[in-house]
């Protein structure tokens, strides 16, 4: 008996010691706030918060990447870092419009040099810049500057392989804390820069092309939604256009994307209910929110509900009613199930299914980047979105987006279930087909607000 107690105590002590010794440092990684311009930023800009990438062979692939970091309490590591980044973005906007993409990483990632999420984000920015240049040139417009903002936080707390998979719930709480902290300020200040640019251009009699998109993955999705959920709900109620008239919803920035987000469906209930009880959206409505969840994401599909069962054990729930304007009938929502199920796996809130139309390894030509084809694809997908209706399908490169029969056409709040062939699990999200889908969706959402101008620009390109 004593030996058993001794062994058990030793095991507990060993686990505690391993947890302490394998703890990932709680630190700021990007401590240099001056601009670093380089064709090789991985080696020459390691500690730089602001990096300007210059492609010596093809300037159409140039982009800027900046880092803003937060601690475990949701505070900025250094306000000077945010101020320097925002000042650089504002200065660039004086010279030209920009397409700004914010990426908030998830579980087990950070702003540390060499993190593979940073590498993948760089590649996406490079491709987005090339697409933006091609599309703008084809329309006779000046290309927007592509700027990426990497919002870093401590997505992993321990490095030992066995233990780091047990940090799911501890990091979930931290993610919400980060979201409720300075994240709202950072995103709000970026949107203010965007809105200021719009106002200045309107005063000068021109329309601004500056757009802002926010992407969150895994717990990064929880960070983003915690920071923006109330803003999104407010934007749905206070639509564009004259007071007293329901028009296009505003949302936050131009597009918010959450990939395999790790938060419960109940947090999304109010926004889903509001969007569902509206049966019609105007042709000029652009996408506002896209939630993408893999059907084979085991972390959010299986581990998440088990943990939520324990944490909601003493909560009171009920069967709630909501009206579906498309079906013209009342739906019953089980709050208990919604409170334990990740948002992307809750069937009542699903609006789309994204399926693979090409197998990843069978057609190598599918992944060769053809600028002209990307321009043509954008023209088709943009028009298809304007003609969207319940049950309709929009074809992308290597994937197809089908709206459910109970979701209104152009409903800008999309909860998309994703084919496991496109996103096989929780972390492998950078399949080229997914990248293309998101790039096209960002381009659709970043069009001019006026529908007639959009159509005129596409007609101008077709006639060339």
């Amino acid at each position: 008996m004593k030996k058993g107690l001794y062994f058990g105590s030793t095991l507990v002590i060993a686990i505690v010691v391993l947890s302490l010794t394998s703890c990932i440092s709680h630190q700021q990684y990007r401590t240099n706030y001056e601009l670093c311009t380089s064709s090789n930023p991985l080696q020459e800009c390691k500690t730089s918060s602001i990096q300007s990438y210059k492609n010596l062979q093809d300037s159409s692939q140039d982009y800027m990447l900046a880092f803003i970091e937060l601690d475990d309490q949701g505070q900025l590591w250094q306000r000077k870092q945010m101020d320097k980044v925002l000042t650089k973005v504002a200065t660039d906007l004086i010279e030209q419009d920009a397409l700004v993409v914010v990426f908030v990483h998830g579980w087990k990632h950070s702003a540390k040099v060499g993190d593979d999420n940073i590498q993948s984000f760089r590649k996406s920015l490079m491709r987005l810049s090339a697409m933006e240049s091609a599309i703008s040139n084809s329309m006779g417009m000046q290309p927007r500057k592509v700027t990426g903002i990497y919002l870093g936080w401590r997505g992993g707390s321990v490095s030992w392989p066995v233990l780091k998979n047990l940090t799911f719930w501890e990091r979930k709480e931290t993610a919400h804390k980060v979201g409720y902290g300075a994240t709202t300020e950072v995103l709000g200040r970026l949107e203010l820069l965007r809105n200021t640019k719009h106002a200045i251009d309107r005063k000068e009699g021109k329309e601004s092309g500056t757009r802002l998109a926010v992407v969150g993955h895994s717990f990064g999705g929880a960070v983003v939604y915690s920071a923006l959920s109330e803003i999104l709900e407010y934007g749905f109620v206070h639509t564009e256009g004259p007071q007293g008239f329901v028009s296009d919803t505003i949302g936050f920035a131009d597009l918010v994307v959450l990939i395999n987000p790790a938060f419960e469906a109940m947090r999304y209930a109010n926004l889903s209910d509001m969007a569902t009880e509206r049966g019609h959206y105007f042709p000029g409505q652009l996408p506002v929110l896209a939630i993408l969840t893999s059907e084979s994401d085991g972390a959010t599909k299986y581990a998440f509900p088990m943990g939520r069962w324990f944490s909601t054990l003493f909560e009171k729930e009920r069967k709630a009613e909501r009206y579906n304007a498309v079906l013209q009938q009342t739906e019953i929502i089980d709050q208990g199930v919604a409170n334990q199920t990740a948002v992307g796996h809750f069937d009542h809130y699903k609006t789309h299914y994204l399926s693979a139309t090409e197998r990843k390894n069978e057609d190598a030509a599918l992944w060769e980047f053809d600028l002209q084809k990307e321009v043509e694809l954008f023209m088709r997908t943009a028009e298809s979105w304007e003609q969207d209706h319940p049950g309709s399908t929009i074809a992308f490169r290597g994937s197809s987006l089908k709206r459910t029969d109970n979701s209104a056409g152009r409903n800008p709040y999309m909860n998309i279930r994703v084919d496991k062939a496109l996103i096989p699990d929780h972390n492998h999200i950078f399949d080229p087909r997914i990248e293309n889908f998101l790039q096209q969706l960002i381009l659709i959402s970043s069009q001019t607000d006026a529908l007639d101008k959009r159509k005129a620009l596409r007609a101008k390109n077709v006639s060339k």
Side-chain angles (χ1 to χ4, degrees):
M1 180 68 176
K2 290 183 178 179
K3 288 184 178 180
L5 290 174
Y6 175 78
F7 177 77
S9 300
T10 303
L11 181 61
V12 171
I13 293 172
I15 291 175
V16 171
V17 171
L18 281 171
S19 298
L20 293 174
T21 57
S22 64
C23 182
I24 293 176
S25 178
H26 186 217
Q27 68 176 85
Q28 181 184 5
Y29 294 102
R30 310 289 173 159
T31 54
N32 185 332
Y33 306 144
E34 299 305 316
L35 173 65
C36 178
T37 301
S38 174
S39 60
N40 185 17
L42 292 177
Q43 297 299 321
E44 299 175 359
C45 307
K46 289 184 177 180
T47 63
S48 299
S49 295
I50 309 172
Q51 305 175 10
S52 178
Y53 170 73
K54 298 295 183 182
N55 189 309
L56 300 180
Q57 283 74 43
D58 185 358
S59 61
S60 71
Q61 297 183 12
D62 292 353
Y63 63 84
M64 187 181 84
L65 173 61
F67 296 84
I68 298 177
E69 298 169 78
L70 299 95
D71 63 23
D72 269 13
Q73 301 305 314
Q75 285 192 295
L76 294 163
W77 270 103
Q78 289 290 338
R79 295 192 67 83
K80 183 179 180 181
Q81 184 186 49
M82 178 188 70
D83 293 340
K84 285 285 189 176
V85 170
L86 294 177
T87 298
K88 174 58 178 172
V89 174
T91 302
D92 288 346
L93 286 175
I94 296 175
E95 299 179 359
Q96 68 181 111
D97 283 323
L99 181 52
V100 182
V101 181
V102 180
F103 180 76
V104 187
H105 67 80
W107 191 27
K108 304 178 184 178
H109 294 278
S110 69
K112 185 177 181 179
V113 176
D115 190 291
D116 58 7
N117 268 195
I118 300 175
Q119 305 304 95
S120 297
F121 189 37
R122 288 185 187 278
K123 293 177 182 178
S124 294
L125 292 173
M126 185 184 298
R127 292 169 66 92
L128 184 61
S129 181
M131 289 173 61
E132 168 63 21
S133 295
I135 291 172
S136 297
N137 290 336
S138 70
M139 293 180 173
M141 302 166 61
Q142 181 187 19
R144 293 170 290 190
K145 180 172 183 175
V146 171
T147 298
I149 309 292
Y150 188 92
L151 205 62
W153 59 287
R154 197 168 68 126
S157 54
V158 296
S159 58
W160 196 45
V162 175
L163 290 180
K164 68 180 181 180
N165 289 325
L166 301 178
T167 64
F168 189 85
W169 293 105
E170 175 254 335
R171 288 295 91 190
K172 179 182 186 298
E173 292 306 312
T174 300
H176 290 302
K177 189 181 294 186
V178 171
Y180 294 135
T183 302
T184 304
E185 178 189 359
V186 172
L187 298 180
R189 289 186 181 279
L190 284 168
E191 188 183 47
L192 178 60
L193 291 177
R194 161 192 177 270
N195 294 344
T196 301
K197 174 65 173 175
H198 287 191
I200 292 174
D201 286 348
R202 278 197 302 269
K203 190 174 181 179
E204 295 177 354
K206 58 183 180 181
E207 186 162 358
S208 175
T210 293
R211 295 295 184 267
L212 171 63
V214 182
V215 181
H217 168 236
S218 179
F219 287 145
V223 170
V224 171
Y225 196 72
S226 295
L228 299 181
S229 59
E230 294 180 2
I231 297 175
L232 290 172
E233 292 176 16
Y234 183 88
F236 181 91
V237 175
H238 293 264
T239 58
E240 294 181 321
Q243 292 292 326
F245 292 88
V246 176
S247 184
D248 296 335
T249 66
I250 301 172
F252 178 85
D254 297 288
L255 183 66
V256 176
V257 179
L258 311 178
I259 307 175
N260 285 339
F263 64 88
E264 55 274 21
M266 274 306 301
R267 291 180 184 267
Y268 186 64
N270 204 45
L271 187 56
S272 177
D273 290 350
M274 290 192 296
T276 301
E277 69 180 13
R278 178 172 171 176
H280 177 75
Y281 293 85
F282 298 105
Q285 176 69 64
L286 294 170
V288 169
L289 172 68
I291 300 174
L292 283 74
T293 301
S294 171
E295 60 187 359
S296 60
D297 176 9
T300 57
K301 189 174 185 178
Y302 302 113
F304 189 95
M306 287 189 290
R308 286 296 297 170
W309 185 87
F310 287 104
S311 60
T312 62
L313 195 58
F314 298 104
E315 294 186 15
K316 298 296 182 182
E317 294 122 349
R318 64 185 177 90
K319 301 291 179 65
E321 294 184 354
R322 73 171 187 176
Y323 183 70
N324 186 310
V326 173
L327 300 179
Q328 296 187 345
Q329 65 184 37
T330 299
E331 297 178 332
I332 305 298
I333 304 297
D334 188 326
Q335 290 182 338
V337 177
N339 208 15
Q340 296 174 15
T341 307
V343 60
H345 295 290
F346 192 64
D347 289 339
H348 284 285
Y349 295 165
K350 184 178 76 171
T351 63
H352 293 82
Y353 185 79
L354 183 68
S355 59
T357 56
E358 298 283 349
R359 295 188 65 177
K360 182 177 179 181
N361 297 322
E362 284 193 352
D363 187 2
L366 179 67
W367 314 119
E368 294 177 1
F369 188 57
D370 188 315
L371 292 179
Q372 183 57 38
K373 288 183 179 179
E374 295 296 336
V375 172
E376 294 171 355
L377 177 61
F378 165 69
M379 301 299 170
R380 294 195 301 270
T381 55
E383 184 175 0
S384 295
W385 171 262
E386 293 164 7
Q387 299 174 355
D388 188 36
H389 57 81
S392 67
T393 299
I394 301 177
F396 292 85
R397 192 180 184 200
S399 67
S400 178
L401 182 69
K402 180 176 176 58
R403 186 178 287 276
T404 59
D405 293 330
N406 62 349
S407 176
R410 294 177 299 279
N411 177 347
Y413 305 92
M414 301 180 287
N415 192 2
I416 306 168
R417 191 77 52 79
V418 181
D419 189 338
K420 61 183 178 183
L422 296 172
I423 302 180
D425 52 33
H426 186 69
N427 288 314
H428 292 88
I429 63 172
F430 291 100
D431 184 289
R433 293 165 294 185
I434 291 295
E435 286 191 359
N436 180 267
F437 170 73
L438 292 178
Q439 288 161 355
Q440 289 290 337
L441 200 61
I442 289 172
L443 290 171
I444 292 172
S445 69
S446 63
Q447 295 177 97
T448 175
D449 293 331
L451 180 61
D452 57 341
K453 291 184 179 180
R454 288 184 231 159
K455 292 183 176 181
L457 286 171
R458 292 203 298 268
K460 178 180 177 181
N461 181 75
V462 171
S463 63
K464 288 185 176 182

